[in-house]
Amino acid sequence: MAWSQDEERMLAMIERHLTDEDPKLAARLESFNHRVSQRAGRRAERGREGRGGARRRPGRSTLIIAVSWLLIATLIATLLVMALRHDAAAFPV
């Protein structure tokens, strides 16, 4: 959504007053804006590189889910092996 001319003029006026009243704050905000724009640029570059065939690492939650499923499968397999080897659970012949 674009700003109206009145809104842009008001924002410019507020910016001028803030810069005049507190130059340190204005310098900090300018530095912050510069760092944010640099970080956004780096993220955009990484995004373009990532689409070119580079593999992404799985997230922490993905690894936790995979390990959980592996443990559950191992537990079920162990219980089945124990139950089938036990004489009381053997199928009658």
Side-chain angles (χ1 to χ4, degrees):
M1 186 168 119
W3 297 96
S4 70
Q5 288 181 349
D6 289 337
E7 291 171 329
E8 286 183 18
R9 195 168 3 103
M10 296 266 302
L11 287 171
M13 186 175 67
I14 291 170
E15 182 180 1
R16 276 194 309 270
H17 285 293
L18 268 175
T19 305
D20 293 342
E21 288 179 13
D22 195 354
K24 280 187 177 181
L25 175 64
R28 285 182 184 170
L29 289 174
E30 184 63 34
S31 172
F32 175 76
N33 288 337
H34 183 68
R35 285 187 306 217
V36 168
S37 64
Q38 281 182 337
R39 185 176 293 168
R42 284 192 300 251
R43 283 184 182 161
E45 287 175 10
R46 271 192 264 143
R48 284 187 294 249
E49 291 171 359
R51 293 183 196 130
R55 290 180 46 166
R56 229 179 105 186
R57 276 185 15 200
R60 180 184 296 177
S61 60
T62 305
L63 291 175
I64 290 172
I65 291 170
V67 169
S68 299
W69 277 106
L70 182 65
L71 289 173
I72 290 169
T74 304
L75 176 65
I76 291 172
T78 303
L79 290 174
L80 285 173
V81 167
M82 289 175 59
L84 292 175
R85 283 194 177 181
H86 194 270
D87 290 337
F91 295 109
V93 180

